[in-house]
Amino acid sequence: MSEHNLRTDVLIVGGGLGGVAAALAVLRRGLRAVLTEETDWIGGQLTTQGVPPDEHPWIEQFGATASYRRLRDGIRDYYRSHYPLTEKARGQRYLNPGEGRVSALCHEPRVAVAVLEAMIAPYRSSGRLVLLLEHTPVAVDTDGDRVHGATLRGADGDDVHVTADYVLDATELGDLLPMAGVEHVTGFESAAETGEPHAPEAAQPDNMQAISHCLAVEYRAGEDHVIDKPEQYGYWRSYHPPVWPAPLLSLTAPEPRTLETSTRLFQPDAPITDAPVTADQSKDPGDRELWAFRRIFSRRLYPAGFADSDISLINWPMIDYFDAPIIGPPAEQVEQHLEAARQLSLSMLYWLQTEAPRLDGGTGWPGLKPRGDVLGTADGMAKRPYVREARRIRAQYTIVEQDLSLAVRGDAGAVRYPDSVGIGMYRIDLHPSTGGDTYIDVGSSPFQIPLRALVPQRMTNLLPAGKNIGTTHITNGCYRLHPVEWNIGEAAGSLAAHCLAGRTTPHAVAADPRRVAALQAELAADGVELHWPEVRGF
C-alpha cells in the first residue's frame, strides 16, 4: 500500500448531490477543490441509490437554485439530444422521460450521471477539480477545533492524503463527524430537548429511518427471467413486522399519511393509453399502481416498436429495511444489515416473479427482467442502498418540527430565518424506523435553510454539505430530498469560499448580520432563492 499527497482549497468528501453542488460553488469562485466518492458514480441518491428526484409541486416555476435547474434541464436535454423521442414527446416543455408518478422528472440514473459529469467536466480539464472515485475516508487530521485534511483509501488499497483549508462532509452517513470528533447526534431526540410534538419522551439514538435497496426491472411477456431464489427468501417470505398490516412480501402496506391499510395494484403489462401522467404529490402520492409509480423509461414516448417495455424502479414500502440501523453497530454487523436489505429487495423481486397475485387470477410475473445496466450494475440492484438519515451535527441552530409543521404554524407559514441560505419544501416524511415506529408523515410549510444549521457548535472549518446539517430526526424528513440536499451543498461550498476570500470563519459570518447579508448577496447572484415568492403590487 502506498500513499500520495494532495493540497487544495476545499476538500469535499462524498460525491452525492450535496457534494457535487458544493464543488461547483467552490469552483465558480475560482478556487480549487478535491471531490471524492466511494463508488464509481457521482450523484448519490439520484444515481447510485436509484431514486428519482422527490420534489415539491412548484419545482418547474420556483423553489430551487439556478444550478439545480441546470441539472434538471440537462437531463431533459440529454433525452432530446440522444433518444429518438416522438415529436409529441420532444415538444413537451416539461418532459418526464419515465412518465412516473412520483416525480415530474423520472429518468434513468445513468443519464443523471452523464449530466453531472458534464457539469464538472470543464473544471477537471482545467485541473482545478480533482475527482477521486472509489475512494473512502479512513481518517481525518484535526488540531483542536480545526481540521487539516483527510485520508482517503482507494479501491486498490492505496491512500491519498488531502490537505485543505476547508473540509466538507457530503457523505451519505456523515462519516467524517466521528472521525473528526465533531459533536453530533443520531436517531430520535427527546421531546424534552426539542419540544417537538412527534418526539418521544426519551432520546432514542439508535432509532433511525429504514434504508431501501432499490432495483430496476422491465417486463417481457412470455419470457422467463426468474432469478435464483435469494438465500434469505424463507426469512423474508414469512416476515410480518408488528407495525405492518400484512407480510412484508405482499402488495399490502400502510398509507403513509393516514396509516390506513391499502393493497396496491401492480400491472407491468398495463395497456398504454393517451391519458396524461401527472406527478403531484401534494394531490396524490402516486403509489396506488406500483409499475407507473417509479417508472423511469416510458415506451410510449418513442415510435412504435422501438422499445418492448417500460423500465420501472422497485422502491416501494415493502422493501424498507428497518430491522436495525447501519449507523452505530460494529462494521461486521453493518455489513450483515446491508446484505439483509439487499436480500429483502431480491426476495421482493423473486416473490413478484413467482407468487404475486395477478388481476387475471394467476400468480407471478416471470417476465420481470432485472435491468442493472441503467443502474451501472450486473444484477439489477442499485450500487448503494437509499439512505434517508445520517449523523447530524450539533449546530448553532437546530431546525425543529414546530419551525415548519403545517399543524403548528398554519397560515403563518414556516419560521423565517434572517440568515436564510436557501429554501425547500416537502412533507415531513419519515419511513418506518429501527425502533419499531411506523410512518410519521405530516404536512409542512415551505421552509428556509438557516445558515446557523450549517455551522457546527465548535469546529471552525468543517462544514456539513448534505443530510448531516442541524436538523432533528423529524425535520430531516423534509430536508433530506434532492433539491434541498443540492441547495445545502451549494450553500456550504459558497460559505467556505466566502470565508476563504474574506479571511474569516463560518462562526464569524453567522454572528454578524452584515456578513450574513454579504454571503446572501453572493448566493442570490448565483441564483440561490433565499425566500419563497411573495408577489406584491408596485
Side-chain angles (χ1 to χ4, degrees):
M1 183 173 67
S2 62
E3 177 176 317
H4 65 279
N5 301 315
L6 293 174
R7 177 71 177 87
T8 192
D9 297 314
V10 181
L11 166 64
I12 302 112
V13 181
L17 290 178
V20 173
L24 289 170
V26 167
L27 295 162
R28 283 198 302 268
R29 287 165 172 78
L31 299 177
R32 295 180 178 272
V34 172
L35 175 64
T36 77
E37 164 56 31
E38 67 177 10
T39 74
D40 58 350
W41 275 10
I42 57 175
Q45 60 177 320
L46 189 65
T47 60
T48 61
Q49 298 174 31
V51 182
D54 285 303
E55 299 168 332
H56 55 74
W58 314 288
I59 191 69
E60 308 293 1
Q61 288 76 42
F62 49 82
T65 75
S67 61
Y68 184 76
R69 293 192 181 286
R70 285 195 289 274
L71 168 61
R72 297 178 89 254
D73 291 343
I75 291 169
R76 285 175 169 146
D77 288 344
Y78 190 97
Y79 279 92
R80 294 188 181 107
S81 298
H82 302 291
Y83 283 58
L85 298 164
T86 64
E87 287 305 311
K88 180 180 179 180
R90 191 179 306 279
Q92 293 176 8
R93 180 178 181 183
Y94 303 125
L95 173 67
N96 188 345
E99 294 192 300
R101 296 187 183 279
V102 72
S103 169
L105 190 59
C106 287
H107 60 276
E108 298 157 86
R110 62 182 174 189
V111 170
V113 175
V115 176
L116 288 166
E117 287 183 341
M119 293 176 77
I120 65 173
Y123 303 106
R124 296 182 70 185
S125 295
S126 69
R128 288 173 46 212
L129 172 66
V130 175
L131 176 63
L132 299 176
L133 295 174
E134 297 185 279
H135 278 74
T136 303
V138 294
V140 176
D141 299 329
T142 61
D143 181 8
D145 297 338
R146 286 191 60 80
V147 176
H148 293 295
T151 301
L152 295 305
R153 182 155 298 157
D156 57 3
D158 289 346
D159 287 350
V160 179
H161 184 264
V162 185
T163 303
D165 296 311
Y166 274 81
V167 176
L168 274 55
D169 184 345
T171 61
E172 297 299 323
L173 297 175
D175 291 332
L176 299 193
L177 304 186
M179 292 183 188
V182 180
E183 292 78 6
H184 63 278
V185 63
T186 61
F188 240 135
E189 296 88 347
S190 69
E193 178 182 352
T194 68
E196 294 175 303
H198 285 90
E201 182 177 339
Q204 300 172 0
D206 295 327
N207 191 357
M208 304 175 205
Q209 284 195 73
I211 62 172
S212 303
H213 209 136
C214 307
L215 61 156
V217 293
E218 66 179 9
Y219 180 67
R220 299 281 183 166
E223 298 181 11
D224 186 346
H225 295 283
V226 176
I227 63 172
D228 294 337
K229 181 186 286 189
E231 292 180 6
Q232 297 180 18
Y233 185 71
Y235 172 79
W236 292 115
R237 181 66 184 85
S238 60
Y239 185 63
H240 188 155
V243 297
W244 218 251
L248 202 55
L249 296 191
S250 72
L251 299 179
T252 299
E255 287 280 359
R257 301 182 187 184
T258 66
L259 300 183
E260 295 177 355
T261 298
S262 171
T263 299
R264 275 59 162 186
L265 296 175
F266 179 68
Q267 192 176 1
D269 63 349
I272 299 175
T273 69
D274 290 331
V277 174
T278 58
D280 184 347
Q281 293 192 37
S282 69
K283 296 182 174 62
D284 178 6
D287 66 346
R288 287 177 176 81
E289 198 290 302
L290 293 172
W291 183 256
F293 179 39
R294 293 184 181 272
R295 183 171 49 203
I296 57 172
F297 180 90
S298 176
R299 67 190 188 278
R300 80 168 183 170
L301 299 183
Y302 301 91
F306 175 73
D308 295 326
S309 174
D310 302 334
I311 303 173
S312 187
L313 285 168
I314 297 178
N315 178 12
W316 309 338
M318 305 79 169
I319 67 164
D320 281 2
Y321 177 81
F322 43 84
D323 269 14
I326 59 170
I327 296 174
E332 181 178 328
Q333 291 182 23
V334 170
E335 289 303 316
Q336 292 173 356
H337 295 316
L338 292 172
E339 177 58 22
R342 184 175 179 275
Q343 284 285 316
L344 169 58
S345 296
L346 288 171
S347 294
M348 186 68 198
L349 173 58
Y350 185 78
W351 180 82
L352 289 170
Q353 292 174 323
T354 60
E355 297 189 57
R358 300 197 308 257
L359 293 179
D360 63 5
T363 56
W365 302 90
L368 288 173
K369 178 182 179 182
R371 285 294 305 269
D373 56 305
V374 303
L375 293 163
T377 64
D379 60 3
M381 306 288 288
K383 291 177 181 287
R384 290 291 186 269
Y386 177 27
V387 173
R388 297 180 174 89
E389 184 171 351
R391 302 174 182 90
R392 304 180 298 280
I393 65 165
R394 291 284 188 184
Q396 287 200 337
Y397 183 84
T398 299
I399 304 159
V400 293
E401 179 182 359
Q402 53 270 34
D403 282 4
L404 52 93
S405 164
L406 194 58
V408 174
R409 299 292 301 177
D411 293 338
V415 169
R416 299 184 182 187
Y417 306 117
D419 57 346
S420 172
V421 291
I423 60 176
M425 171 59 198
Y426 205 74
R427 289 176 64 87
I428 297 173
D429 174 13
L430 302 177
H431 282 236
S433 60
T434 57
D437 295 296
T438 186
Y439 289 97
I440 299 175
D441 192 315
V442 297
S444 67
S445 306
F447 53 79
Q448 296 173 321
I449 305 167
L451 170 65
R452 289 161 294 159
L454 276 66
V455 181
Q457 291 179 346
R458 180 179 58 87
M459 299 299 288
T460 59
N461 69 331
L462 184 146
L463 296 171
K467 294 185 287 291
N468 51 354
I469 67 168
T471 58
T472 65
H473 171 82
I474 292 174
T475 54
N476 164 75
C478 56
Y479 275 78
R480 64 179 173 81
L481 288 314
H482 302 65
V484 186
E485 182 189 356
W486 182 278
N487 194 327
I488 290 168
E490 187 164 354
S494 299
L495 175 60
H498 177 86
C499 290
L500 284 172
R503 297 187 177 183
T504 185
T505 66
H507 292 81
V509 173
D512 186 342
R514 292 173 299 177
R515 286 175 170 170
V516 169
L519 173 64
Q520 289 174 323
E522 293 175 10
L523 290 167
D526 278 343
V528 176
E529 298 177 31
L530 304 176
H531 311 282
W532 284 91
E534 291 184 16
V535 180
R536 300 182 180 182
F538 61 91

